[in-house]
Amino acid sequence: MTALLTAPVSPETMTEAGRALAAESARFAGFGWMRGTGGNLSVVVQRDPLLLAVTASGLDKSELSERDVVLVDAAGRPADPSDPRPPSAEAGLHAHIAARTGARAVFHVHAIDSVIAGHRWPQGVDIRDLEMLKGIGHPAHDVTVRVPVIPNHQDMAVEAARFDEVYRDPVPGVPEVPALIVAGHGMYAWGDSVMAARRHLEITEWLLRYLVAVER
C-alpha cells in the first residue's frame, strides 16, 4: 500500500538531498564499494513524520544525478504517489536505523572486507588498540569495540528486528558503534550528517580491512 505524504517535502530539499547522495555514491563507487547497482544511501529530509530521500533502485551508483532519489516513509515505502520509481530494496532498514539512532544519514555499501569480516566473525567483530577507533568515537586503547554482525535476510522487517537485537544505545561514557555488518551482504554506517556517515563508513571499512589482513 502506498503511503501518502502528511507534510510536503519541497523540490529544493529533494534536489539538495539528491545532489549530496549522488556525490557520495560516486565517491564510494570509485573505491569499489558500490559496483554496478549495488549499495544504497539515504538522508533524512523530515523527522516528524520520518521521511527519507533514498537512492533509487536499479541504477549504476557511479552515475547518479541529483534526480535519482526516491522519498520513503518510516517503513521504507514510497511516500510520493506521483513518483513511479522504486526505492532501494533496503529502504526499510535505512528508515529503521534513522529512527532508532537519530541519524540523519545512513549509508550501505558492499565493501568486500566487511563481507569477509562478517563471514569470519559472525558473532561480531572485536577491535581494540587502534588509533582509527577515535574516528568512530571510541578510545584508541584499552577498550574493545564490537562492530555487530547480523544474518542476511530479504525481509527488511526481519533485518530491523535483528538490528535491534545487537544495537546498543549510547550511554554516558559509552558511545554507540555507528556501523553494522550484514553477513554475506555488506555494511551500514550512519551519522548525524552526511559527512559524519561518510567518516564512520570509511573508518570502519579501514578497521575491518586491517583486521582481515592481519587476523588470518
Side-chain angles (χ1 to χ4, degrees), residues 15-95:
T15 296
E16 181 181 357
R19 186 177 298 124
L21 296 183
E24 298 302 311
S25 293
R27 178 184 180 91
F28 300 142
F31 295 160
W33 299 352
M34 299 184 82
R35 296 181 185 274
T37 63
N40 34 77
L41 312 180
S42 68
V43 63
V44 173
V45 294
Q46 182 174 288
R47 181 59 65 179
D48 186 19
L50 183 65
L51 295 170
L52 298 88
V54 182
T55 49
S57 181
L59 301 177
D60 189 317
K61 297 306 189 296
S62 69
E63 299 179 348
L64 297 186
S65 76
E66 63 190 28
R67 298 179 299 278
D68 294 325
V69 291
V70 178
L71 191 67
V72 301
D73 66 10
R77 299 170 300 193
D80 182 353
S82 69
D83 190 343
R85 299 171 302 167
S88 290
E90 288 90 4
L93 186 54
H94 281 253

Side-chain angles (χ1 to χ4, degrees), residues 117-142:
H119 175 75
R120 194 173 290 178
W121 299 289
Q123 302 306 313
V125 183
D126 291 338
I127 310 171
R128 61 179 294 123
D129 300 331
L130 289 171
E131 283 290 324
M132 288 287 271
L133 283 166
K134 294 178 181 178
I136 57 172
H138 288 263
H141 300 285
D142 303 323

Side-chain angles (χ1 to χ4, degrees), residues 114-198:
S114 67
V115 179
I116 296 171
H119 175 75
R120 194 173 290 178
W121 299 289
Q123 302 306 313
V125 183
D126 291 338
I127 310 171
R128 61 179 294 123
D129 300 331
L130 289 171
E131 283 290 324
M132 288 287 271
L133 283 166
K134 294 178 181 178
I136 57 172
H138 288 263
H141 300 285
D142 303 323
V143 175
T144 297
V145 177
R146 172 166 288 190
V147 179
V149 178
I150 63 173
N152 192 26
H153 199 284
Q154 299 306 302
D155 186 334
M156 290 304 106
V158 173
E159 292 294 78
R162 289 173 173 173
F163 172 83
D164 286 341
E165 290 174 358
V166 299
Y167 178 69
R168 294 184 178 181
D169 291 301
V171 298
V174 184
E176 71 171 349
V177 176
L180 171 76
I181 296 171
V182 179
H185 190 172
M187 67 179 291
Y188 288 78
W190 53 90
D192 60 9
S193 67
V194 167
M195 289 294 293
R198 177 206 290 178

